[in-house]
Amino acid sequence: MYALKEFPRLTMTSMYIFHYDDVFLPFIHITCPINQTTVQESMTVQYSEDISWEQWAEFIPKFVFLPYYLIAEFSWEWIDVNFLPVTFILANCVFLTMMEAKAIRAVWKMGVRMFSASIKKQANTLLFLVVSLIAWPLIPTLFCDLLFYISLYYSPFSNFYAVFLK
């Protein structure tokens, strides 16, 4: 969750490299379908190993410019299964896209000075991820689940604050 929130492009790239069959193929076939079938119809069908050029042509611009849109598009397909978490994910994707646009605008206006503050925030998040990976086997599962759901439901509110009230 933290990696997807702070590093969406890197997370999707690692999905492609490390979890191609299990995670990336369903992700790209749902977000960039070849034909307009619903997820319920395609759930019983195995996803083909081949990704068409049309899918890549649709996926790559979204991956580069709007990575949170891909996450929102994937989440939208599951709204009838888990309504509440998906709505929080969709709101979070909107606010994260707005935060990314604000950051690009700030870097465009202020130049390199703003870039150093952005790097510091990314480094802190990366450090938190490394510590979490090391401590993950030692922490009880209930506590990890609690932290995940707190983060899932709290992050849209904190991102709303960062976009509109800061």
Side-chain angles (χ1 to χ4, degrees), residues 69-80:
Y69 178 75
L70 286 170
I71 298 164
E73 202 171 10
F74 183 77
S75 298
W76 180 256
E77 292 294 329
W78 301 99
I79 199 158
D80 57 342

Side-chain angles (χ1 to χ4, degrees), residues 93-112:
C93 288
V94 169
F95 295 138
L96 288 171
T97 301
M98 293 170 78
M99 286 174 57
E100 193 170 270
K102 279 180 69 173
I104 290 170
R105 183 174 174 230
V107 168
W108 185 265
K109 279 185 163 183
M110 295 184 193
V112 179

Side-chain angles (χ1 to χ4, degrees), residues 34-153:
I34 296 172
N35 51 12
Q36 298 298 330
T37 60
T38 62
V39 173
Q40 288 78 18
E41 294 171 3
S42 63
M43 265 191 200
T44 57
V45 179
Q46 291 284 16
Y47 295 111
S48 67
E49 296 261 342
D50 299 328
I51 299 173
S52 68
W53 287 106
E54 292 84 15
Q55 285 178 298
W56 282 118
E58 184 181 351
F59 178 77
I60 290 175
K62 289 178 185 177
F63 171 77
V64 171
F65 298 112
L66 295 169
Y68 298 112
Y69 178 75
L70 286 170
I71 298 164
E73 202 171 10
F74 183 77
S75 298
W76 180 256
E77 292 294 329
W78 301 99
I79 199 158
D80 57 342
V81 178
N82 291 316
F83 178 77
L84 190 61
V86 169
T87 54
F88 276 86
I89 290 169
L90 292 174
N92 205 15
C93 288
V94 169
F95 295 138
L96 288 171
T97 301
M98 293 170 78
M99 286 174 57
E100 193 170 270
K102 279 180 69 173
I104 290 170
R105 183 174 174 230
V107 168
W108 185 265
K109 279 185 163 183
M110 295 184 193
V112 179
R113 292 183 314 220
M114 184 61 189
F115 189 68
S116 64
S118 174
I119 294 284
K120 187 184 287 186
K121 181 183 176 203
Q122 299 291 334
N124 285 340
T125 303
L126 196 58
L127 179 66
F128 177 76
L129 286 172
V130 169
V131 170
S132 296
L133 285 174
I134 292 170
W136 189 264
L138 305 174
I139 300 173
T141 307
L142 179 67
F143 186 70
C144 293
D145 291 343
L146 181 69
L147 288 178
F148 174 79
Y149 283 109
I150 287 172
S151 174
L152 175 69
Y153 293 120

Side-chain angles (χ1 to χ4, degrees), residues 23-33 51 55-56 59 74:
V23 179
F24 186 76
L25 275 179
F27 182 78
I28 197 167
H29 283 298
I30 288 173
T31 57
C32 306
I51 299 173
Q55 285 178 298
W56 282 118
F59 178 77
F74 183 77

